[in-house]
Amino acid sequence: MEADEQGTYAALQTHLDDFILPNVEAGNGRIVKLMGDGLLAEFDSVVDAVECALALQRGMAERNIDVSGDARLVLRIGVHLGDVIVKQGDIFGDGVNVAARLEALAEPGAVCISQQVLDQIETKINVARSDLGRCKVKNLSRPIHAYSLDPFGPAELITRRPRRGRTFGLLAAIAACLGIAIFLWQPWTQKFEEPEQQSELRDISALPSLAVLPFENLSGDQQDDYLADGMTDDLVTDLARLSGLVVISRSSTLPYKGQSPEVADVAEDLGAQYVVLGTMRRSGNTLRINAKLVDSETGAHIWAQRYDRDAADLLSLQDDVRSEIVSALQVRFSPEESESISQSKTENPEAYDAYLRARQQESYFTEASTREAIRLYHLALEHDPDFASATARLAIAYTLAVDNGWVADAEEGLELARSLAAQAIAKDPNLPTAYWAMARYYTRDETWDSDKAIEALETAISIDPNYADGYAMLSNTLQFVGRSEEGLGMIEAAMRLNPNFPFWYHFARGANQFNLQRFEEARTSFEKAIERNPGWPSSYRYLISTLGHLGDIDEAEWQIEEFQALGFDLNLSDMEAGTKMQDPVYRERFFEGLRKAGVPEN
């Protein structure tokens, strides 16, 4: 285009006026807007969009027959079926974003489609296709399963990967988004470079995976359990911050406490390639720790060590064990990760002992134990006011107390939690639990702020790439703001890191599936959430809406009766007044399902 910019633009305009726009209209499409060197259009069906795309490629090939190579304008086209937001005649949303990424994957002269599109057209359009596999693309957390359609080839399936470094003339993207199709195009004559691939989710397929089983207390005194539990917790927390390692969540390994499982069984249950096992024995002021790292496939001991230390030296002991495990697995970590691990610790033995006791009390989830945990966290901070981890856990303990009605003034308790979370971040900007505590504050109904919650959670998982609950809460927050494509990827990552996940993971997955109109899958997720926790009202509300969309009114009526039997009211006006759903498309879909299910207005 640099050689003949005016000539290229004139040729482009001719193609647009004489060929592209008429074909869009002939294919039942409507132009949404022109964008200088781009264009958006909509179709009534994905089949119409794909047939129009193929017709454009065939027609452009004919128009280029008598044109020299450098002067040819060649199309790349991408087609996707997904959600969009319509606002003042324009369109936005995941569907548009995916369409643009598919266009970047397309071969010159070909049409690139998503799996959703293939499912709709496979038996309706006879065309050759190539499976490009699951492609990671910029600004989308989940890979796109893409296929390339050849407008001129025989109708057969070929498997190959996309090529790089192509020279061509015109970029184009078509996306069918709930009956809407988008064109994005611009003139180009230089060598094509694929966009930088970015993803908020790691590719964990090639990383070693590790489960740390609860260290066994051999002291003969159950009061020393908190030391063994603390050793396990902090080891998991430290290792989880290493981006080169997949670390299974502590909540998934906790059920093995007090058991002697076979390593192979643990590996199968949790998907862990390596397992850490350990024992702790306290005698007076002396601690004896035995730890070993086992390859779950072979049963071989990769590393084993015994440590005899003073009880006040527990922190340095943990550092030694962690370092030996990292070295045995040949995991590399950055200076930033090393600093992140050490910064949130305390060098005060009394503060650390109070902190470990508080963690144990917090894990019981009763009013009395939560109050005791709060007292002990305060005691830890009296010994070391700069102890960031104790500050963050204290903030979390206050939010738990508010959640369960264990404080006299909920507003005061929440403000105290927010203040403590801010203090923890100020003390240690690399402490993931501090951002988790802040996110808990901003995801509550009374203090809802999706932007601040998402920012806090994204920071938490950037510091701790194995933070399962961080991914899960982020997923559950994204579903309110029109980002369920990302949200679904986040919850799947959380489930991989925490195989024994709590019920609300099922809900988060179901909500994102619902928003993406994957109603059968959403139904299963909500039913599993209710099975695990039958007293949580949100699962019922979404399940009832899902059943409305599926047309299963009898089951919806039964679920409404079950919901009301639990003592909850169900009407549209109350839910519309209290909903946190910000995305207009998702919001309307939710209430539409409730209306179909027969939920009354008042």
Side-chain angles (χ1 to χ4, degrees):
M1 187 169 178
E2 292 177 356
D4 185 10
E5 184 172 350
Q6 291 184 347
T8 302
Y9 181 81
L12 179 60
Q13 194 64 43
T14 299
H15 286 308
L16 179 65
D17 294 338
D18 297 346
F19 177 68
I20 295 176
L21 296 184
N23 270 273
V24 171
E25 294 174 0
N28 300 316
R30 181 185 70 86
I31 304 300
V32 176
K33 66 178 180 179
L34 299 174
M35 303 179 298
D37 61 352
L39 173 155
L40 277 81
E42 64 179 0
F43 288 81
D44 291 332
S45 78
V46 66
V47 173
D48 286 345
V50 173
E51 287 182 337
C52 179
L54 295 171
L56 285 175
Q57 294 292 29
R58 292 165 182 151
M60 284 298 296
E62 293 180 4
R63 294 170 70 88
N64 281 326
I65 289 176
D66 296 325
V67 180
S68 62
D70 291 341
R72 290 179 179 177
L73 296 180
V74 184
L75 299 177
R76 286 206 318 265
I77 300 177
V79 183
H80 176 60
L81 178 64
D83 287 323
V84 296
I85 300 170
V86 181
K87 184 177 181 181
Q88 297 179 344
D90 207 346
I91 48 181
F92 311 92
D94 288 341
V96 180
N97 297 334
V98 175
R101 305 311 166 204
L102 287 166
E103 173 268 317
L105 295 172
E107 297 281 352
V111 178
C112 188
I113 66 172
S114 63
Q115 181 69 59
Q116 292 91 327
V117 173
L118 180 65
D119 292 341
Q120 297 293 321
I121 70 162
E122 191 166 15
T123 61
K124 300 173 184 177
I125 299 178
N126 189 25
V127 62
R129 70 179 187 271
S130 304
D131 187 349
L132 305 182
R134 294 174 62 82
C135 304
K136 292 183 181 179
V137 293
K138 183 178 180 180
N139 294 335
L140 291 178
S141 59
R142 300 178 64 214
I144 303 172
H145 197 151
Y147 298 82
S148 178
L149 305 184
D150 182 357
F152 307 98
E156 59 183 14
L157 176 63
I158 308 167
T159 301
R160 61 173 170 77
R161 303 299 301 173
R163 299 193 301 269
R164 297 176 181 267
R166 301 180 292 266
T167 303
F168 58 99
L170 185 66
L171 302 174
I174 300 177
C177 309
L178 300 182
I180 296 172
I182 301 101
F183 278 80
L184 302 173
W185 54 265
Q186 66 183 72
W188 194 263
T189 56
Q190 297 177 342
K191 183 178 247 188
F192 169 67
E193 295 181 3
E194 288 188 340
E196 179 185 357
Q197 295 184 353
Q198 296 180 350
S199 174
E200 297 180 28
L201 295 175
R202 294 175 298 165
D203 179 6
I204 64 174
S205 58
L207 299 180
S209 55
L210 177 76
V212 181
L213 297 192
F215 275 50
E216 186 179 0
N217 173 24
L218 301 181
S219 301
D221 186 349
Q222 287 188 344
Q223 291 187 3
D224 288 335
D225 278 357
Y226 80 97
L227 289 172
D229 292 343
M231 179 76 184
T232 309
D233 285 345
D234 282 352
L235 189 56
V236 171
T237 299
D238 289 352
L239 291 170
R241 299 199 200 183
L242 304 181
S243 58
L245 191 62
V246 176
V247 181
I248 302 301
S249 169
R250 165 75 165 137
S251 58
S252 279
T253 60
L254 189 59
Y256 295 99
K257 183 176 180 178
Q259 302 182 22
S260 300
E262 294 291 333
V263 170
D265 294 336
V266 174
E268 183 177 354
D269 293 342
L270 304 182
Q273 184 179 356
Y274 301 98
V275 177
V276 175
L277 304 100
T279 62
M280 186 215 73
R281 185 187 302 273
R282 181 173 185 169
S283 177
N285 291 325
T286 301
L287 287 179
R288 168 166 290 182
I289 301 290
N290 283 284
K292 58 185 177 182
L293 176 66
V294 181
D295 185 326
S296 64
E297 294 183 3
T298 65
H301 290 195
I302 299 175
W303 163 84
Q305 185 67 45
R306 188 182 77 182
Y307 301 88
D308 291 302
R309 299 283 181 86
D310 189 277
D313 201 24
L314 182 59
L315 279 169
S316 65
L317 174 58
Q318 290 174 354
D319 290 341
D320 290 345
V321 174
R322 183 195 69 245
S323 297
E324 293 286 356
I325 292 172
V326 170
S327 176
L329 294 177
Q330 298 182 348
V331 175
R332 296 181 180 180
F333 56 93
S334 67
E336 291 79 12
E337 289 173 334
S338 178
E339 180 183 359
S340 170
I341 291 172
S342 61
Q343 190 170 350
S344 57
K345 300 288 183 66
T346 179
E347 296 181 358
N348 186 300
E350 290 82 6
Y352 189 61
D353 186 80
Y355 171 79
L356 293 183
R357 293 178 185 274
R359 289 295 307 272
Q360 182 187 48
Q361 291 295 320
E362 187 184 341
S363 70
Y364 297 149
F365 293 107
T366 67
E367 180 175 2
S369 67
T370 300
R371 291 183 182 279
E372 178 63 7
I374 289 173
R375 186 190 72 81
L376 288 167
Y377 284 133
H378 277 295
L379 179 60
L381 290 170
E382 288 178 13
H383 289 296
D384 183 357
D386 295 325
F387 193 177
S389 290
T391 308
R393 296 304 314 184
L394 180 57
I396 293 170
Y398 273 115
T399 63
L400 290 172
V402 171
D403 286 344
N404 292 280
W406 297 333
V407 294
D409 189 329
E411 184 176 351
E412 181 181 346
L414 283 174
E415 178 54 31
L416 182 56
R418 186 206 60 77
S419 176
L420 287 164
Q423 292 175 41
I425 292 171
K427 293 175 182 179
D428 182 3
N430 293 314
L431 181 61
T433 50
Y435 296 97
W436 164 264
M438 189 65 78
R440 282 185 59 85
Y441 174 82
Y442 284 118
T443 52
R444 293 188 57 84
D445 291 346
E446 308 94 316
T447 52
W448 172 254
D449 189 322
S450 60
D451 290 339
K452 291 181 179 179
I454 290 171
E455 180 182 6
L457 291 166
E458 287 179 339
T459 303
I461 63 176
S462 70
I463 299 169
D464 181 351
N466 291 288
Y467 202 164
D469 282 355
Y471 286 108
M473 184 184 281
L474 180 56
S475 169
N476 198 43
T477 306
L478 292 173
Q479 62 106 351
F480 289 108
V481 297
R483 295 169 61 183
S484 277
E485 287 278 1
E486 297 172 68
L488 201 54
M490 292 294 171
I491 194 62
E492 289 172 354
M495 289 176 169
R496 168 66 180 91
L497 293 168
N498 187 5
N500 294 326
F501 49 82
F503 81 95
W504 62 275
Y505 280 38
H506 282 303
F507 172 81
R509 179 164 62 177
N512 283 291
Q513 290 166 335
F514 175 91
N515 290 337
L516 298 174
Q517 300 185 93
R518 295 162 62 167
F519 296 126
E520 288 289 357
E521 297 173 41
R523 176 179 185 166
T524 300
S525 295
F526 294 133
E527 288 174 344
K528 289 180 178 178
I530 290 172
E531 181 182 352
R532 297 273 293 276
N533 185 351
W536 207 50
S538 293
S539 300
Y540 285 94
R541 296 186 184 111
Y542 268 87
L543 177 58
I544 291 166
S545 181
T546 302
L547 294 169
H549 280 290
L550 291 172
D552 193 345
I553 307 305
D554 289 342
E555 178 67 15
E557 291 176 350
W558 189 85
Q559 292 293 346
I560 291 173
E561 292 176 2
E562 287 288 301
F563 186 67
Q564 293 171 334
L566 293 172
F568 297 108
D569 292 327
L570 188 65
N571 63 76
L572 296 177
S573 60
D574 287 349
M575 283 189 286
E576 287 176 341
T579 183
K580 295 189 290 188
M581 184 64 71
Q582 296 172 222
D583 182 84
V585 174
Y586 293 175
R587 179 189 177 106
E588 176 55 32
R589 184 167 299 140
F590 174 67
F591 286 104
E592 179 189 1
L594 293 174
R595 292 187 183 95
K596 290 179 177 179
V599 175
E601 290 289 337
N602 297 296

